[in-house]
Amino acid sequence: MMNVEDLYRILRTSHVQAQGIVDTIPDPLLVLDESLRVQNASRSFFETFRVDRYETIGQQLFTLGNGQWDIPELRSLLQDVIPRSVAVVNFRVEHDFPSLGPRTMLLTARTLFHPDNAGHLLLLSIVDVTDQARRDVAKDMLFGELRHRMKNLLSVAHSMARLTPVEDRSAEEYREAFLGRFAALIAAQDIAFAEDSAGDLKTLTERVLAPFSGEGHGLVIEPGEPVELTPKSLTSLSLVFNELATNAAKYGALSAAGGRVSVSWRIEDGERLRITWAESGGPAVVSPDRKGYGSELIRTAISYTLHGQLGQEYASDGYRAEIAVPLVE
Amino acid sequence: MQRTVLIVEDEFLIAMHLQRLLEEHGWRVIGPVATVRAALRLLEEKLPDVALLDVNLGREMVTPVAEALRARSVPFAIASAYERPERFAGEVLAGAVNVGKPAVERRLLAALRQLIDREPVG
């Protein structure tokens, strides 16, 4: 498609000023004489500004369409700037057009000197970028939101590294513990912002618990009704599942052959999610280390973010946890 | 006397971290709390010496808490990912020290210490 520069070149070299050429310009275009009278206009000018040829050609620009082009910035552009420079490119004008409402236009103007006499013409193209400008604002907001979310996520990872205990353990043990939690954080992010099935509890449990199911013991996720969770709730539950599974692999049912963990959930009264973690067939249940960071993390995740409750039972046949989370606040 | 600090932070891991850090350095932590409502309720009970505020609490901005603290002359610092929090959460945050997110621990401790030292004696 032809732009103002191409047209300028054609008009300059071949001395023609054909309506056909003007009409090939996709954007609204005016050809103005020295007194800013409209000599010619492209078809898209008539279409965009809803005016017809007869009320346009021969008129002075600032009187066109009840003076809707009598814009101070445009006046100064054409009367002050253009005489002193050959071209003005993408000059931004915000204006409330009576027929169109508030619009943002980019004006490009170019002086065309007539080779046969001392006169000149002016090419003026007008591109409506209102929608583009609106999209830009929305995009800026989205980028701002993403930047904030990213910083927040890094900050959570930072806190996690700081909180994972270093006392009485090797660097390797620390790394394993940190990376397990970090993986749970990433899993929650992936699922929270997945394109399909975003925020799904089943997808989350499968993903977080997959590394823990192995030979000789079983980790079963019972079929449950679909539950969609917010990104924050997902993150908290993801970390909780990681802690429960890590404990089970260290001391519980997943630490011995024949052990079994069953994960299930149901929705009670349409307003409460109840998740059950039930271990069986493992070694004798040992007294819990209630002060450990892992259990503090589980308790805080459930109370602070999920506003939920944790019930724990150290039954002789296996550890059992019940997590009740309100679905409506 | 042990100084008190109110922590408002909606991310539980960050809240746990800030609490532990400040407790390790001799502060008594009030909260942490995740919402404006919970923070205002705590302020009704007893005023802390200082406060440490996250700005974006997920569903709300911390602004009403900052205003309540200002009205009661309780100094506060901000721990926010925003470079200029006042642009998002109001003028009441302008001028408050932002220790950043993640908070640089030394800077955070120094900022709170400074807020206390600035307080009029008595």
Side-chain angles (χ1 to χ4, degrees):
Chain A
M1 287 226 236
M2 194 177 259
N3 62 25
V4 178
E5 294 299 310
D6 295 335
L7 180 66
Y8 169 72
R9 244 172 267 123
I10 287 172
L11 291 177
R12 216 167 94 107
T13 52
S14 61
H15 310 180
V16 292
Q17 189 199 328
Q19 180 64 38
I21 294 175
V22 172
D23 280 344
T24 60
I25 306 290
D27 295 318
L29 174 86
L30 292 174
V31 181
L32 305 171
D33 69 11
E34 282 160 81
S35 57
L36 302 179
R37 271 177 204 288
V38 179
Q39 295 261 307
N40 208 337
S42 69
R43 202 169 46 211
S44 66
F45 179 87
F46 301 121
E47 285 162 6
T48 305
F49 298 102
R50 296 169 201 161
V51 287
D52 73 33
R53 168 170 288 276
Y54 302 102
E55 61 186 353
T56 305
I57 305 292
Q59 292 291 315
Q60 216 263 347
L61 174 67
F62 300 126
T63 64
L64 276 185
N66 296 325
Q68 67 174 339
W69 289 99
D70 195 358
I71 306 165
E73 293 102 312
L74 183 59
R75 256 185 198 276
S76 94
L77 177 75
L78 296 181
Q79 291 172 343
D80 305 333
V81 181
I82 278 294
R84 281 187 275 112
S85 60
V86 183
V88 171
V89 177
N90 288 345
F91 183 86
R92 195 184 180 89
V93 171
E94 317 248 350
H95 182 64
D96 196 346
F97 289 87
S99 57
L100 302 172
R103 311 301 282 181
T104 305
M105 304 283 183
L106 290 185
L107 304 181
T108 295
R110 171 123 220 180
T111 315
L112 180 67
F113 295 99
H114 212 282
D116 301 335
N117 56 47
H120 66 263
L121 293 173
L122 192 66
L123 300 181
L124 178 66
S125 85
I126 303 132
V127 180
D128 185 342
V129 291
T130 312
D131 292 342
Q132 180 64 42
R134 248 179 236 142
R135 278 197 297 273
D136 286 350
V137 170
K139 210 184 278 175
D140 284 352
M141 281 177 65
L142 184 65
F143 274 131
E145 176 60 30
L146 279 177
R147 200 165 48 227
H148 184 262
R149 193 183 289 165
M150 197 179 75
K151 276 184 147 181
N152 218 48
L153 192 60
L154 287 173
S155 197
V156 168
H158 169 100
S159 291
M160 211 180 238
R162 191 68 174 70
L163 285 165
T164 298
V166 292
E167 293 83 10
D168 305 323
R169 41 166 58 177
S170 68
E172 203 174 353
E173 286 169 326
Y174 170 86
R175 186 175 63 191
E176 284 310 300
F178 171 75
L179 288 180
R181 287 166 183 151
F182 192 58
L185 182 65
I186 293 169
Q189 285 291 313
D190 278 354
I191 290 155
F193 303 107
E195 275 173 35
D196 50 347
S197 73
D200 181 50
L201 177 60
K202 179 167 174 279
T203 315
L204 180 80
T205 48
E206 286 169 353
R207 164 91 182 259
V208 177
L209 299 177
F212 295 94
S213 55
E215 295 287 312
H217 53 67
L219 199 158
V220 180
I221 298 166
E222 311 285 352
E225 45 191 311
V227 180
E228 198 183 308
L229 296 162
T230 64
K232 262 190 165 173
S233 299
L234 279 175
T235 304
S236 297
L237 279 179
S238 185
L239 289 162
V240 168
F241 282 130
N242 176 66
E243 295 304 321
L244 290 173
T246 303
N247 286 345
K250 269 192 199 161
Y251 323 106
L254 299 183
S255 68
R260 184 174 184 274
V261 174
S262 139
V263 184
S264 60
W265 62 85
R266 62 180 192 276
I267 293 173
E268 295 175 337
D269 309 327
E271 59 183 24
R272 196 166 45 249
L273 171 66
R274 184 177 291 277
I275 301 170
T276 304
W277 175 280
E279 299 183 18
S280 59
V285 173
V286 291
S287 64
D289 174 19
R290 282 179 179 280
K291 284 184 186 146
Y293 167 61
S295 34
E296 188 190 345
L297 194 150
I298 293 174
R299 280 195 307 272
T300 312
I302 292 169
S303 63
Y304 203 80
T305 312
L306 298 167
H307 310 293
Q309 279 161 339
L310 170 69
Q312 298 183 92
E313 204 185 313
Y314 298 89
S316 56
D317 60 328
Y319 168 80
R320 193 182 163 89
E322 296 250 338
I323 302 163
V325 176
L327 287 174
V328 267
E329 281 178 32
Chain B
M1 233 213 26
Q2 204 179 16
R3 297 291 197 159
T4 56
V5 53
L6 167 70
I7 299 177
V8 184
E9 165 63 61
D10 66 318
E11 289 287 352
F12 82 96
L13 284 165
I14 299 174
M16 280 172 79
H17 170 201
L18 293 175
Q19 175 173 22
R20 175 168 310 181
L21 174 73
L22 291 173
E23 283 175 354
E24 278 171 6
H25 286 82
W27 291 85
R28 192 159 74 75
V29 170
I30 300 180
V33 288
T35 62
V36 165
R37 208 170 62 158
L40 293 179
R41 203 158 45 210
L42 285 181
L43 290 181
E44 290 304 314
E45 290 167 20
K46 194 170 183 304
L47 292 182
D49 294 315
V50 292
L52 179 62
L53 309 179
D54 179 24
V55 172
N56 184 336
L57 301 178
R59 289 183 192 173
E60 57 186 358
M61 292 290 169
V62 80
T63 317
V65 181
E67 282 164 352
L69 291 166
R70 177 68 47 86
R72 293 162 174 79
S73 304
V74 176
F76 58 85
I78 295 167
S80 171
Y82 292 127
E83 270 154 42
R84 289 166 59 196
E86 65 274 14
R87 279 178 58 188
F88 300 90
E91 273 306 303
V92 68
L93 298 181
V97 178
N98 186 358
V99 297
K101 207 172 202 186
V104 179
E105 295 185 353
R106 228 175 334 155
R107 196 160 141 223
L108 164 62
L109 293 166
L112 293 187
R113 178 57 47 195
Q114 215 166 20
L115 288 180
I116 278 198
D117 292 345
R118 224 190 284 158
E119 262 184 301
V121 182

